[in-house]
Amino acid sequence: MIKLNLDEQKIASKIKRLKDAAGSHSPSIFTICEKLSELNIKVDACFLSNPYATELFLDYLKKDLIDTNKLKDVLEFYPSQNGVIADVISKSIDVDSKNIFVGNGAIEVIQAVMHNFVEKRVIVNIPTFSSYYEFARDDTEVIYYQLNKDENFKLDTQSYVNFVKSKNPDSVVIINPNNPNGGYIKYKDLRFILNNLKEVKNIIIDESFIHFAFEDSEYSLISATELFKEFSNVIVIKSLSKDFGIAGIRAGYGVMDQYKVAKLLKNGYLWNSSGLSEYFFRLYNRSDFFKEYEEVRKKYIAHAQEFFDELSKIPQIKVYPSMANFALIELLDGSTSANFVSKMLIKYGVYTRTCSDKIGLNGEFIRIAARSQKENEIIVKAIREIFKDDIA
């Protein structure tokens, strides 16, 4: 069982205070470095992004904006309005711009949808991303559908449909792949759910991690956006932070009925994008960039799945199946998730996330993000050593 010495306990107390201050999310790497300068952080395996895609974005940023001295214009002048950027995105995802709402990150889209369209009752699967129940209005009843640990937190589609029908909600939330476990609902199963829940006013599908999921050996891209064209009650929410490794520029969007988009725009959100996020959205639409992105996306998926396989060989933990870029891990040796996260950060410089604040998880769980192949090797080595030291 992982234990902390006296010096480690003191630092762990500081880490806990930072975590408590951050609420149901984790303190940023910048916050930790500022507040805990005694730590030497080598790998950020807490926040979820594709590092290969970040490097690709930086290459294009340098070539397009820095080397040409155009960065000044991007920073000095106002970006385009929401509708103009929606038109840019529409070309990338083959959806009419009237059906696209651009957000300052997906979190703004989530908040806008939860506040404006979710009414009396919403069903949220647990464990999942906390914002969907935290952002519910005070007059909205949140009903939880518990995913079964014995079934690796995989959604049973028929059981889910039966549950929803019995509760008669106006809205449901499905995150696919789910956070924090990476559970994935296949496209045909998602269609089954939609076909059987046509009476539900809003079916919110968050596919912020969909670029890491796959159903064939080619890692082909899958998206619920096509289902929106068939089912008018679908709202698709997409973060671009994770798959493109650009959380710092805040880029996300929602696909929904045009009347919903119009309502949101009427209530504000005129200039809610930055110049850098507009640059990215325009880059996202370029065939040269996307061709290279596809290469690094598939490379990252392969490395992530290899990483999960290596983790699964460590006897003191259980790694739950994941189609995202992170793995939910259960500690089996009696260690607490808090001690694990603190030890990994203090002794090995690896930042991971405790899941002790996740509703619907009973036990000691952590979430670890896949990073570059070299960083993944550092993580695996650290976890092996943390348990070896414990035995010694």
Side-chain angles (χ1 to χ4, degrees):
M1 187 168 62
I2 298 169
K3 296 181 180 179
L4 307 179
N5 60 38
L6 289 177
D7 289 337
E8 290 170 337
Q9 287 177 29
K10 293 177 182 177
I11 300 175
S13 295
K14 297 179 183 179
I15 295 172
K16 184 179 184 303
R17 284 196 292 272
L18 291 179
K19 176 66 179 73
D20 291 344
S24 59
H25 302 282
S26 298
S28 74
I29 196 78
F30 302 110
T31 300
I32 290 179
C33 290
E34 179 186 9
K35 301 295 184 180
L36 297 174
S37 58
E38 64 265 43
L39 296 178
N40 178 23
I41 302 177
K42 301 174 183 176
V43 181
D44 181 358
C46 176
F47 288 90
L48 314 168
S49 65
N50 178 350
Y52 304 143
T54 306
E55 292 299 322
L56 178 64
F57 173 75
L58 288 173
D59 288 343
Y60 273 82
L61 181 73
K62 181 178 184 299
K63 180 174 60 177
D64 292 342
L65 299 184
I66 297 175
D67 292 347
T68 60
N69 293 317
K70 292 181 180 179
L71 181 60
K72 178 179 180 294
D73 293 342
V74 171
L75 299 178
E76 181 179 2
F77 301 118
Y78 278 105
S80 299
Q81 294 182 8
N82 200 300
V84 175
I85 299 175
D87 189 57
V88 173
I89 297 172
S90 71
K91 298 176 178 64
S92 306
I93 63 175
D94 191 28
V95 171
D96 194 300
S97 61
K98 293 179 181 178
N99 297 113
I100 299 173
F101 172 70
V102 183
N104 189 277
I107 197 71
E108 184 175 56
V109 185
I110 294 170
Q111 186 174 30
V113 168
M114 295 299 292
H115 285 187
N116 288 276
F117 308 126
V118 175
E119 298 172 351
K120 294 182 179 180
R121 184 175 296 171
V122 61
I123 292 178
V124 179
N125 302 330
I126 53 172
T128 201
F129 185 51
S130 61
S131 293
Y132 280 101
Y133 47 81
E134 291 175 340
F135 285 174
R137 297 184 329 213
D138 291 341
D139 59 347
T140 299
E141 179 187 7
V142 179
I143 299 174
Y144 296 121
Y145 177 80
Q146 177 68 56
L147 299 173
N148 194 334
K149 175 182 172 180
D150 294 335
E151 296 175 2
N152 292 327
F153 302 106
K154 179 179 174 61
L155 183 74
D156 183 311
T157 53
Q158 186 61 66
S159 172
Y160 177 73
V161 166
N162 293 342
F163 181 84
V164 173
K165 287 183 177 293
S166 72
K167 300 299 182 182
N168 192 30
D170 58 80
S171 305
V172 301
V173 176
I174 299 171
I175 299 183
N176 192 40
N178 190 38
N179 179 6
N181 64 301
Y184 175 67
I185 306 168
K186 289 185 176 181
Y187 191 84
K188 65 178 180 64
D189 295 326
L190 199 54
R191 176 182 289 278
F192 170 83
I193 292 172
L194 298 181
N195 267 319
N196 285 275
L197 295 180
K198 292 180 180 178
E199 71 279 8
V200 177
K201 189 174 181 180
N202 303 301
I203 297 184
I204 302 163
I205 302 174
D206 185 322
E207 54 176 30
S208 292
F209 300 96
I210 199 66
H211 281 208
F212 308 122
F214 56 93
E215 295 189 16
D216 60 33
S217 59
E218 300 299 318
Y219 301 147
S220 301
L221 271 173
I222 313 159
S223 175
T225 303
E226 289 300 311
L227 294 173
F228 159 76
K229 298 175 183 178
E230 184 178 349
F231 301 93
S232 61
N233 59 345
V234 165
I235 299 173
V236 178
I237 296 178
K238 183 75 180 81
S239 165
L240 297 168
S241 299
K242 290 80 176 172
D243 33 27
F244 291 95
I246 52 165
I249 69 173
R250 313 307 301 131
Y253 62 83
V255 175
M256 63 194 79
D257 183 278
Q258 66 178 16
Y259 298 106
K260 290 185 172 74
V261 174
K263 179 178 179 180
L264 293 179
L265 295 181
K266 184 179 179 180
N267 291 333
Y269 304 107
L270 186 62
W271 275 301
N272 60 334
S273 295
S274 69
L276 282 176
S277 64
E278 180 177 0
Y279 165 71
F280 171 77
F281 282 126
R282 294 185 181 279
L283 186 63
Y284 182 50
N285 194 38
R286 283 169 47 179
S287 58
D288 57 338
F289 171 77
F290 208 83
K291 182 179 178 181
E292 290 189 69
Y293 167 70
E294 274 294 274
E295 293 177 3
V296 299
R297 182 183 71 86
K298 293 178 179 182
K299 173 185 175 182
Y300 181 59
I301 291 175
H303 287 174
Q305 292 297 322
E306 290 169 3
F307 174 53
F308 302 154
D309 287 343
E310 285 301 308
L311 288 175
S312 67
K313 297 174 184 177
I314 301 173
Q316 293 90 346
I317 62 177
K318 176 178 178 177
V319 180
Y320 286 82
S322 174
M323 277 283 192
N325 66 329
F326 53 83
L328 179 68
I329 292 174
E330 185 175 9
L331 305 178
L332 305 177
D333 71 331
S335 299
T336 66
S337 62
N339 278 359
F340 179 94
V341 168
S342 295
K343 193 85 167 184
M344 286 286 287
L345 187 55
I346 296 166
K347 186 170 183 178
Y348 301 100
V350 177
Y351 185 26
T352 58
R353 190 200 197 285
T354 174
C355 291
S356 59
D357 58 347
K358 288 289 184 183
I359 297 175
L361 279 180
N362 295 315
E364 296 298 327
F365 291 88
I366 55 170
R367 189 192 68 195
I368 299 181
R371 295 294 299 166
S372 68
Q373 193 171 41
K374 183 177 180 180
E375 288 174 313
N376 291 342
E377 291 172 358
I378 293 172
I379 297 169
V380 171
K381 182 180 179 182
I383 295 176
R384 290 187 184 280
E385 287 184 3
I386 204 173
F387 289 117
K388 187 185 298 182
D389 291 346
D390 178 50
I391 293 173

